[in-house]
């Protein structure tokens, strides 16, 4: 079980988490597509068959949303309130089709105190979503602001 609270000092560079497989259904693809990315490849199986992927595929934003949901479902930051600071280098590398299973991996790649708010730390992670063949379907780097135990840093050196 993840801790109730995960503060900045509880993270280490190299910490790795991976979700159990998540199967993406056609119904989920269409519902997400209709609500947030209404392109035929995400909303209409018949029209998608004539499209660039030869069938219905999940929106990349749907996959990104699932990656966040699964990390939080597993208790990634526990009950600690965090603030997302952004994502970098978002890449959608392969389509995800109805019935496919994906896994989400998140690795801590950098830890540093906030220069403007020393009572907060920045946790930077590499997110990789893979299909059942372990091929990456989406990658990105994310950064979140996480509270520290104290406003006084143990060291001024970034951990990376």
């Amino acid at each position: 079980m993840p801790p109730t609270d995960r503060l900045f000092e509880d993270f280490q560079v190299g910490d790795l988490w991976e979700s159990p497989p998540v199967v993406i259904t056609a119904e989920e693809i269409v519902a997400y597509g209709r609500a947030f990315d209404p392109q035929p490849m995400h909303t209409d199986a018949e029209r998608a068959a004539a499209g660039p992927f030869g069938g219905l595929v999940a929106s990349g934003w749907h996959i990104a949303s699932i990656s966040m949901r699964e990390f939080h479902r597993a208790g990634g930051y526990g009950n600690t309130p965090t603030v997302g600071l952004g994502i970098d280098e978002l890449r959608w590398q392969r389509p995800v089709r109805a019935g496919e299973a994906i896994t989400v991996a998140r690795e801590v790649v950098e830890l540093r105190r906030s220069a403007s708010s020393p009572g907060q730390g920045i946790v930077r992670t590499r997110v990789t979503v893979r299909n059942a063949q372990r091929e990456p379907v989406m990658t990105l780097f994310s950064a979140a602001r996480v509270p520290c135990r104290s406003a006084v840093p143990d060291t001024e050196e970034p951990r990376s």
Side-chain angles (χ1 to χ4, degrees):
M1 250 349 241
T4 302
D5 294 311
R6 287 196 79 191
L7 301 175
F8 177 72
E9 293 84 358
D10 297 323
F11 292 91
Q12 297 294 317
V13 170
D15 285 352
L16 181 64
W17 166 88
E18 188 167 324
S19 77
V22 176
V23 176
I24 310 301
T25 68
E27 294 79 17
E28 290 171 317
I29 290 172
V30 170
Y32 189 96
R34 285 183 179 156
F36 301 107
D37 193 352
Q39 299 181 73
M41 69 185 96
H42 308 314
T43 61
D44 184 322
E46 189 173 302
R47 289 179 64 197
F53 299 106
L56 198 64
V57 295
S59 166
W61 296 113
H62 186 180
I63 301 307
S65 296
I66 289 170
S67 76
M68 180 59 72
R69 179 191 73 197
E70 292 304 306
F71 181 65
H72 282 279
R73 192 179 267 178
Y77 291 113
N79 292 327
T80 304
T82 61
V83 175
L85 298 175
I87 59 172
D88 297 308
E89 300 179 41
L90 171 61
R91 302 290 183 268
W92 293 303
Q93 298 167 325
R94 288 176 180 75
V96 176
R97 300 178 187 282
E100 282 192 293
I102 59 172
T103 57
V104 180
R106 188 177 286 252
E107 179 184 7
V108 175
V109 295
E110 181 185 1
L111 297 163
R112 64 182 167 83
R113 286 279 179 150
S114 169
S116 60
S117 181
Q120 303 285 311
I122 310 300
V123 178
R124 188 163 187 259
T125 61
R126 176 186 301 117
V127 176
T128 305
V129 179
R130 298 184 194 294
N131 60 20
Q133 293 75 40
R134 304 294 296 159
E135 300 166 318
V137 299
M138 187 194 81
T139 57
L140 62 86
F141 288 89
S142 69
R145 190 174 69 207
V146 179
C148 297
R149 283 198 169 75
S150 74
V152 179
D154 294 334
T155 176
E156 294 298 319
E157 297 297 314
R159 296 180 279 166
S160 59

